[in-house]
Amino acid sequence: MLIDGYDTLLLDLDGVVYLGSHAVPGAPAALERAQEHGVRLAYVTNNASRTPAAIAAHLRELGAPATAADVVTSAQAAARLIAERVPPGANVLVVGGSGLRLAVRDRGLRPVSTAAESPAAVVQGIAPGLSYGLLAEGTLAVRQGALFVASNADSTMPTQRGELPGNGAMVRVIAAATGVEPIYAGKPDPPLHRESMIRTRAKRPLVVGDRLDTDIEGAANAGVESLLVLTGVARPVDVLTAEPRHRPTYVAEDLGALLQPYPEVRDGACGGWRAAWEDGALRLHGDGSRIDGLRAACDAAWAAAGSGRTEEDAVKPVLDRLG
């Protein structure tokens, strides 16, 4: 099985395990089977709005095995990052939700809500109903010299209704108003994976995600292997045209692939498919499953692109063939 040889799965949540209030079909059952197989599950999320306990409760409601200790958030990574840079017990202005406030408090820091309290740092994370007033207080504090930290740089977040503005989009308010760029704690930057490794004591982890620019790049930055699932943001065209830092070790339709043998992919061939360049375009020959065709095409596209990236027009015949 794919999970053989790995001791921990570092799982993204949005787009991998669930979409909004509903589970990705088959995801909870796959995770339960993986845990029974002896692999530790760690849910690693860039979403800083909820507490680990609340996230774990939501996962259990969906049928996935989870405790608060299994959840690692960008809020926790941001709080550790701040605690390493400011005096113990310092005031931290929290522009975000309860998950961020709890993480700050758990690090021995004091969450505050106004610039008048002279915060040593400002930390921002996505939260429903984030107000102009709180953004204004954060702006004032950063202008006064407070350290500026953001939980993550995700410009969007997937939901059942589509992609909505993420923390990366909201951070631009304070950044644009102050001219100060934040230090990012979440994926793909190192702090969140560092937090995950500290908490799980993983020796051979596998990062599982749905985004190339956060999950897969984050795995590359951490020097660990990765699995991209196509249940969230990334589309086949994105994988085919990915630059080296965005190329996953494995590609699968969903988490069910964790419990299956991963096929050999070599020289542009996988399963019943063979990918070949013809007249400047990549084409698929043969037949088989859609995902094996994509794996074969990725191997050929990445080999040809080397340290660059393949143009979208060049892989259009593959996309047309796979539907």
Side-chain angles (χ1 to χ4, degrees), residues 115-157:
E117 294 172 276
S118 301
V122 172
V123 61
Q124 183 171 352
I126 198 69
L130 189 63
S131 69
Y132 176 85
L134 201 50
L135 289 166
E137 293 297 326
T139 298
L140 291 170
V142 172
R143 283 188 173 277
Q144 292 167 7
L147 174 70
F148 186 22
V149 173
S151 63
N152 67 80
D154 292 358
S155 58
T156 63
M157 56 182 182

mmCIF file of all heavy atoms in Angstrom, residues 115-157:
data_model
loop_
_atom_site.group_PDB
_atom_site.id
_atom_site.type_symbol
_atom_site.label_atom_id
_atom_site.label_comp_id
_atom_site.label_asym_id
_atom_site.label_seq_id
_atom_site.Cartn_x
_atom_site.Cartn_y
_atom_site.Cartn_z
ATOM 1 N N ALA A 115 -4.671 48.738 19.753
ATOM 2 C CA ALA A 115 -3.298 49.226 19.644
ATOM 3 C C ALA A 115 -2.899 50.027 20.875
ATOM 4 O O ALA A 115 -1.706 50.164 21.181
ATOM 5 C CB ALA A 115 -3.145 50.074 18.389
ATOM 6 N N ALA A 116 -3.894 50.550 21.612
ATOM 7 C CA ALA A 116 -3.615 51.342 22.815
ATOM 8 C C ALA A 116 -2.943 50.516 23.909
ATOM 9 O O ALA A 116 -2.332 51.066 24.827
ATOM 10 C CB ALA A 116 -4.914 51.950 23.347
ATOM 11 N N GLU A 117 -3.042 49.181 23.801
ATOM 12 C CA GLU A 117 -2.421 48.301 24.801
ATOM 13 C C GLU A 117 -0.964 47.979 24.464
ATOM 14 O O GLU A 117 -0.367 47.082 25.072
ATOM 15 C CB GLU A 117 -3.255 47.026 24.929
ATOM 16 C CG GLU A 117 -4.647 47.296 25.502
ATOM 17 C CD GLU A 117 -5.551 46.088 25.469
ATOM 18 O OE1 GLU A 117 -6.178 45.833 24.417
ATOM 19 O OE2 GLU A 117 -5.632 45.382 26.497
ATOM 20 N N SER A 118 -0.394 48.726 23.513
ATOM 21 C CA SER A 118 1.026 48.604 23.139
ATOM 22 C C SER A 118 1.456 47.161 22.886
ATOM 23 O O SER A 118 2.390 46.654 23.520
ATOM 24 C CB SER A 118 1.914 49.219 24.232
ATOM 25 O OG SER A 118 1.595 50.578 24.426
ATOM 26 N N PRO A 119 0.811 46.461 21.959
ATOM 27 C CA PRO A 119 1.181 45.062 21.690
ATOM 28 C C PRO A 119 2.583 44.962 21.098
ATOM 29 O O PRO A 119 3.005 45.817 20.309
ATOM 30 C CB PRO A 119 0.125 44.603 20.696
ATOM 31 C CG PRO A 119 -0.326 45.855 20.017
ATOM 32 C CD PRO A 119 -0.280 46.919 21.080
ATOM 33 N N ALA A 120 3.290 43.907 21.482
ATOM 34 C CA ALA A 120 4.607 43.661 20.913
ATOM 35 C C ALA A 120 4.499 43.045 19.523
ATOM 36 O O ALA A 120 5.441 43.104 18.737
ATOM 37 C CB ALA A 120 5.396 42.729 21.826
ATOM 38 N N ALA A 121 3.347 42.463 19.236
ATOM 39 C CA ALA A 121 3.146 41.812 17.935
ATOM 40 C C ALA A 121 1.683 41.890 17.535
ATOM 41 O O ALA A 121 0.791 42.013 18.393
ATOM 42 C CB ALA A 121 3.596 40.358 17.986
ATOM 43 N N VAL A 122 1.451 41.808 16.244
ATOM 44 C CA VAL A 122 0.108 41.673 15.671
ATOM 45 C C VAL A 122 0.091 40.362 14.916
ATOM 46 O O VAL A 122 0.990 40.079 14.114
ATOM 47 C CB VAL A 122 -0.213 42.827 14.698
ATOM 48 C CG1 VAL A 122 -1.534 42.566 13.960
ATOM 49 C CG2 VAL A 122 -0.274 44.152 15.442
ATOM 50 N N VAL A 123 -0.918 39.525 15.170
ATOM 51 C CA VAL A 123 -1.044 38.270 14.445
ATOM 52 C C VAL A 123 -2.412 38.238 13.774
ATOM 53 O O VAL A 123 -3.431 38.547 14.396
ATOM 54 C CB VAL A 123 -0.844 37.049 15.380
ATOM 55 C CG1 VAL A 123 -1.879 37.002 16.496
ATOM 56 C CG2 VAL A 123 -0.852 35.754 14.580
ATOM 57 N N GLN A 124 -2.442 37.895 12.487
ATOM 58 C CA GLN A 124 -3.684 37.911 11.725
ATOM 59 C C GLN A 124 -3.997 36.546 11.148
ATOM 60 O O GLN A 124 -3.135 35.868 10.580
ATOM 61 C CB GLN A 124 -3.615 38.933 10.585
ATOM 62 C CG GLN A 124 -4.924 39.041 9.798
ATOM 63 C CD GLN A 124 -4.930 40.206 8.822
ATOM 64 O OE1 GLN A 124 -4.017 41.030 8.817
ATOM 65 N NE2 GLN A 124 -5.962 40.285 7.998
ATOM 66 N N GLY A 125 -5.260 36.148 11.296
ATOM 67 C CA GLY A 125 -5.758 34.903 10.720
ATOM 68 C C GLY A 125 -7.188 35.090 10.269
ATOM 69 O O GLY A 125 -7.892 35.974 10.762
ATOM 70 N N ILE A 126 -7.643 34.252 9.351
ATOM 71 C CA ILE A 126 -9.002 34.378 8.827
ATOM 72 C C ILE A 126 -10.025 34.070 9.909
ATOM 73 O O ILE A 126 -9.796 33.226 10.780
ATOM 74 C CB ILE A 126 -9.216 33.442 7.614
ATOM 75 C CG1 ILE A 126 -10.434 33.882 6.796
ATOM 76 C CG2 ILE A 126 -9.312 31.998 8.049
ATOM 77 C CD1 ILE A 126 -10.250 35.171 6.072
ATOM 78 N N ALA A 127 -11.126 34.801 9.894
ATOM 79 C CA ALA A 127 -12.219 34.570 10.841
ATOM 80 C C ALA A 127 -13.500 35.136 10.254
ATOM 81 O O ALA A 127 -13.475 36.203 9.644
ATOM 82 C CB ALA A 127 -11.925 35.235 12.187
ATOM 83 N N PRO A 128 -14.612 34.429 10.420
ATOM 84 C CA PRO A 128 -15.889 34.962 9.951
ATOM 85 C C PRO A 128 -16.189 36.283 10.656
ATOM 86 O O PRO A 128 -15.978 36.432 11.855
ATOM 87 C CB PRO A 128 -16.904 33.885 10.358
ATOM 88 C CG PRO A 128 -16.095 32.645 10.540
ATOM 89 C CD PRO A 128 -14.759 33.101 11.035
ATOM 90 N N GLY A 129 -16.648 37.260 9.914
ATOM 91 C CA GLY A 129 -17.026 38.525 10.516
ATOM 92 C C GLY A 129 -15.870 39.403 10.931
ATOM 93 O O GLY A 129 -16.025 40.299 11.775
ATOM 94 N N LEU A 130 -14.685 39.166 10.383
ATOM 95 C CA LEU A 130 -13.527 39.999 10.706
ATOM 96 C C LEU A 130 -13.874 41.459 10.405
ATOM 97 O O LEU A 130 -14.251 41.795 9.290
ATOM 98 C CB LEU A 130 -12.322 39.554 9.886
ATOM 99 C CG LEU A 130 -10.973 40.163 10.235
ATOM 100 C CD1 LEU A 130 -10.561 39.778 11.654
ATOM 101 C CD2 LEU A 130 -9.912 39.708 9.238
ATOM 102 N N SER A 131 -13.728 42.332 11.401
ATOM 103 C CA SER A 131 -14.252 43.693 11.287
ATOM 104 C C SER A 131 -13.213 44.705 10.818
ATOM 105 O O SER A 131 -12.000 44.514 10.996
ATOM 106 C CB SER A 131 -14.792 44.157 12.650
ATOM 107 O OG SER A 131 -13.728 44.342 13.571
ATOM 108 N N TYR A 132 -13.707 45.792 10.263
ATOM 109 C CA TYR A 132 -12.845 46.905 9.890
ATOM 110 C C TYR A 132 -12.153 47.465 11.117
ATOM 111 O O TYR A 132 -10.963 47.816 11.068
ATOM 112 C CB TYR A 132 -13.664 48.009 9.207
ATOM 113 C CG TYR A 132 -12.842 49.241 8.888
ATOM 114 C CD1 TYR A 132 -12.095 49.307 7.722
ATOM 115 C CD2 TYR A 132 -12.792 50.318 9.769
ATOM 116 C CE1 TYR A 132 -11.324 50.420 7.434
ATOM 117 C CE2 TYR A 132 -12.020 51.435 9.491
ATOM 118 C CZ TYR A 132 -11.285 51.484 8.324
ATOM 119 O OH TYR A 132 -10.517 52.591 8.050
ATOM 120 N N GLY A 133 -12.878 47.518 12.231
ATOM 121 C CA GLY A 133 -12.306 48.075 13.452
ATOM 122 C C GLY A 133 -11.074 47.312 13.908
ATOM 123 O O GLY A 133 -10.068 47.915 14.304
ATOM 124 N N LEU A 134 -11.123 45.984 13.841
ATOM 125 C CA LEU A 134 -9.986 45.179 14.265
ATOM 126 C C LEU A 134 -8.816 45.321 13.278
ATOM 127 O O LEU A 134 -7.648 45.377 13.678
ATOM 128 C CB LEU A 134 -10.409 43.715 14.388
ATOM 129 C CG LEU A 134 -9.547 42.797 15.272
ATOM 130 C CD1 LEU A 134 -9.290 43.419 16.638
ATOM 131 C CD2 LEU A 134 -10.232 41.446 15.424
ATOM 132 N N LEU A 135 -9.135 45.391 11.988
ATOM 133 C CA LEU A 135 -8.097 45.627 10.987
ATOM 134 C C LEU A 135 -7.439 46.984 11.203
ATOM 135 O O LEU A 135 -6.220 47.140 11.056
ATOM 136 C CB LEU A 135 -8.691 45.552 9.582
ATOM 137 C CG LEU A 135 -9.103 44.157 9.096
ATOM 138 C CD1 LEU A 135 -9.979 44.261 7.854
ATOM 139 C CD2 LEU A 135 -7.872 43.299 8.804
ATOM 140 N N ALA A 136 -8.240 47.962 11.595
ATOM 141 C CA ALA A 136 -7.694 49.296 11.862
ATOM 142 C C ALA A 136 -6.772 49.280 13.073
ATOM 143 O O ALA A 136 -5.697 49.904 13.065
ATOM 144 C CB ALA A 136 -8.839 50.284 12.085
ATOM 145 N N GLU A 137 -7.155 48.549 14.112
ATOM 146 C CA GLU A 137 -6.293 48.459 15.301
ATOM 147 C C GLU A 137 -4.975 47.765 14.952
ATOM 148 O O GLU A 137 -3.900 48.158 15.416
ATOM 149 C CB GLU A 137 -7.013 47.699 16.418
ATOM 150 C CG GLU A 137 -8.220 48.418 17.001
ATOM 151 C CD GLU A 137 -7.846 49.730 17.677
ATOM 152 O OE1 GLU A 137 -6.749 49.825 18.274
ATOM 153 O OE2 GLU A 137 -8.650 50.675 17.585
ATOM 154 N N GLY A 138 -5.064 46.723 14.143
ATOM 155 C CA GLY A 138 -3.857 46.040 13.710
ATOM 156 C C GLY A 138 -2.949 46.961 12.903
ATOM 157 O O GLY A 138 -1.721 46.945 13.065
ATOM 158 N N THR A 139 -3.543 47.774 12.062
ATOM 159 C CA THR A 139 -2.775 48.733 11.263
ATOM 160 C C THR A 139 -2.047 49.725 12.154
ATOM 161 O O THR A 139 -0.851 50.000 11.969
ATOM 162 C CB THR A 139 -3.714 49.480 10.296
ATOM 163 O OG1 THR A 139 -4.307 48.539 9.389
ATOM 164 C CG2 THR A 139 -2.960 50.533 9.506
ATOM 165 N N LEU A 140 -2.750 50.247 13.133
ATOM 166 C CA LEU A 140 -2.131 51.210 14.051
ATOM 167 C C LEU A 140 -0.964 50.578 14.815
ATOM 168 O O LEU A 140 0.101 51.191 14.967
ATOM 169 C CB LEU A 140 -3.176 51.733 15.039
ATOM 170 C CG LEU A 140 -4.261 52.647 14.447
ATOM 171 C CD1 LEU A 140 -5.361 52.894 15.478
ATOM 172 C CD2 LEU A 140 -3.655 53.966 13.983
ATOM 173 N N ALA A 141 -1.147 49.342 15.277
ATOM 174 C CA ALA A 141 -0.102 48.679 16.049
ATOM 175 C C ALA A 141 1.133 48.396 15.197
ATOM 176 O O ALA A 141 2.267 48.572 15.646
ATOM 177 C CB ALA A 141 -0.641 47.383 16.652
ATOM 178 N N VAL A 142 0.924 47.962 13.964
ATOM 179 C CA VAL A 142 2.068 47.703 13.081
ATOM 180 C C VAL A 142 2.795 49.005 12.780
ATOM 181 O O VAL A 142 4.033 49.052 12.756
ATOM 182 C CB VAL A 142 1.603 47.004 11.786
ATOM 183 C CG1 VAL A 142 2.752 46.916 10.774
ATOM 184 C CG2 VAL A 142 1.093 45.597 12.100
ATOM 185 N N ARG A 143 2.047 50.076 12.585
ATOM 186 C CA ARG A 143 2.672 51.386 12.360
ATOM 187 C C ARG A 143 3.489 51.836 13.573
ATOM 188 O O ARG A 143 4.475 52.568 13.434
ATOM 189 C CB ARG A 143 1.608 52.432 12.039
ATOM 190 C CG ARG A 143 1.074 52.360 10.610
ATOM 191 C CD ARG A 143 0.172 53.541 10.307
ATOM 192 N NE ARG A 143 -0.218 53.569 8.910
ATOM 193 C CZ ARG A 143 0.522 54.089 7.931
ATOM 194 N NH1 ARG A 143 1.703 54.616 8.221
ATOM 195 N NH2 ARG A 143 0.098 54.087 6.693
ATOM 196 N N GLN A 144 3.089 51.373 14.759
ATOM 197 C CA GLN A 144 3.815 51.728 15.985
ATOM 198 C C GLN A 144 5.045 50.843 16.207
ATOM 199 O O GLN A 144 5.771 51.017 17.181
ATOM 200 C CB GLN A 144 2.870 51.618 17.187
ATOM 201 C CG GLN A 144 1.767 52.673 17.195
ATOM 202 C CD GLN A 144 0.651 52.368 18.195
ATOM 203 O OE1 GLN A 144 0.758 51.427 18.993
ATOM 204 N NE2 GLN A 144 -0.427 53.146 18.153
ATOM 205 N N GLY A 145 5.270 49.877 15.305
ATOM 206 C CA GLY A 145 6.463 49.046 15.396
ATOM 207 C C GLY A 145 6.248 47.617 15.837
ATOM 208 O O GLY A 145 7.220 46.874 16.047
ATOM 209 N N ALA A 146 4.996 47.182 16.003
ATOM 210 C CA ALA A 146 4.724 45.810 16.423
ATOM 211 C C ALA A 146 5.142 44.812 15.341
ATOM 212 O O ALA A 146 5.005 45.079 14.141
ATOM 213 C CB ALA A 146 3.237 45.634 16.743
ATOM 214 N N LEU A 147 5.659 43.675 15.768
ATOM 215 C CA LEU A 147 5.971 42.575 14.854
ATOM 216 C C LEU A 147 4.673 42.141 14.167
ATOM 217 O O LEU A 147 3.639 41.985 14.820
ATOM 218 C CB LEU A 147 6.555 41.409 15.654
ATOM 219 C CG LEU A 147 6.828 40.103 14.908
ATOM 220 C CD1 LEU A 147 7.997 40.269 13.956
ATOM 221 C CD2 LEU A 147 7.103 38.966 15.907
ATOM 222 N N PHE A 148 4.714 41.929 12.854
ATOM 223 C CA PHE A 148 3.517 41.562 12.102
ATOM 224 C C PHE A 148 3.659 40.128 11.608
ATOM 225 O O PHE A 148 4.562 39.813 10.831
ATOM 226 C CB PHE A 148 3.333 42.525 10.927
ATOM 227 C CG PHE A 148 2.060 42.345 10.137
ATOM 228 C CD1 PHE A 148 0.933 41.714 10.672
ATOM 229 C CD2 PHE A 148 1.970 42.835 8.829
ATOM 230 C CE1 PHE A 148 -0.238 41.568 9.946
ATOM 231 C CE2 PHE A 148 0.803 42.691 8.087
ATOM 232 C CZ PHE A 148 -0.300 42.061 8.642
ATOM 233 N N VAL A 149 2.775 39.245 12.090
ATOM 234 C CA VAL A 149 2.797 37.822 11.734
ATOM 235 C C VAL A 149 1.420 37.438 11.189
ATOM 236 O O VAL A 149 0.395 37.857 11.737
ATOM 237 C CB VAL A 149 3.143 36.950 12.959
ATOM 238 C CG1 VAL A 149 3.003 35.463 12.624
ATOM 239 C CG2 VAL A 149 4.563 37.252 13.443
ATOM 240 N N ALA A 150 1.400 36.647 10.134
ATOM 241 C CA ALA A 150 0.138 36.154 9.567
ATOM 242 C C ALA A 150 0.117 34.633 9.639
ATOM 243 O O ALA A 150 1.143 33.978 9.452
ATOM 244 C CB ALA A 150 -0.014 36.609 8.126
ATOM 245 N N SER A 151 -1.044 34.081 9.907
ATOM 246 C CA SER A 151 -1.150 32.629 10.038
ATOM 247 C C SER A 151 -0.840 31.920 8.724
ATOM 248 O O SER A 151 -0.251 30.845 8.717
ATOM 249 C CB SER A 151 -2.544 32.237 10.530
ATOM 250 O OG SER A 151 -3.529 32.611 9.577
ATOM 251 N N ASN A 152 -1.245 32.518 7.595
ATOM 252 C CA ASN A 152 -0.960 31.908 6.292
ATOM 253 C C ASN A 152 -1.176 32.923 5.181
ATOM 254 O O ASN A 152 -1.748 33.993 5.409
ATOM 255 C CB ASN A 152 -1.833 30.666 6.057
ATOM 256 C CG ASN A 152 -3.298 31.016 5.906
ATOM 257 O OD1 ASN A 152 -3.736 31.437 4.850
ATOM 258 N ND2 ASN A 152 -4.072 30.853 6.976
ATOM 259 N N ALA A 153 -0.736 32.547 3.985
ATOM 260 C CA ALA A 153 -0.834 33.442 2.831
ATOM 261 C C ALA A 153 -1.836 32.949 1.792
ATOM 262 O O ALA A 153 -1.827 33.418 0.654
ATOM 263 C CB ALA A 153 0.540 33.592 2.182
ATOM 264 N N ASP A 154 -2.730 32.025 2.174
ATOM 265 C CA ASP A 154 -3.700 31.498 1.207
ATOM 266 C C ASP A 154 -4.599 32.619 0.689
ATOM 267 O O ASP A 154 -5.349 33.231 1.460
ATOM 268 C CB ASP A 154 -4.587 30.435 1.860
ATOM 269 C CG ASP A 154 -3.828 29.171 2.207
ATOM 270 O OD1 ASP A 154 -2.627 29.105 1.910
ATOM 271 O OD2 ASP A 154 -4.442 28.261 2.782
ATOM 272 N N SER A 155 -4.564 32.858 -0.610
ATOM 273 C CA SER A 155 -5.407 33.917 -1.173
ATOM 274 C C SER A 155 -6.875 33.508 -1.208
ATOM 275 O O SER A 155 -7.770 34.347 -1.151
ATOM 276 C CB SER A 155 -4.937 34.290 -2.574
ATOM 277 O OG SER A 155 -4.966 33.154 -3.426
ATOM 278 N N THR A 156 -7.133 32.191 -1.296
ATOM 279 C CA THR A 156 -8.503 31.692 -1.307
ATOM 280 C C THR A 156 -8.614 30.472 -0.403
ATOM 281 O O THR A 156 -7.611 29.889 0.009
ATOM 282 C CB THR A 156 -8.937 31.267 -2.724
ATOM 283 O OG1 THR A 156 -8.115 30.178 -3.172
ATOM 284 C CG2 THR A 156 -8.824 32.428 -3.704
ATOM 285 N N MET A 157 -9.858 30.094 -0.098
ATOM 286 C CA MET A 157 -10.106 28.838 0.617
ATOM 287 C C MET A 157 -11.318 28.163 -0.015
ATOM 288 O O MET A 157 -12.307 28.825 -0.357
ATOM 289 C CB MET A 157 -10.344 29.087 2.112
ATOM 290 C CG MET A 157 -11.447 30.034 2.450
ATOM 291 S SD MET A 157 -11.544 30.262 4.254
ATOM 292 C CE MET A 157 -12.964 31.369 4.357
#
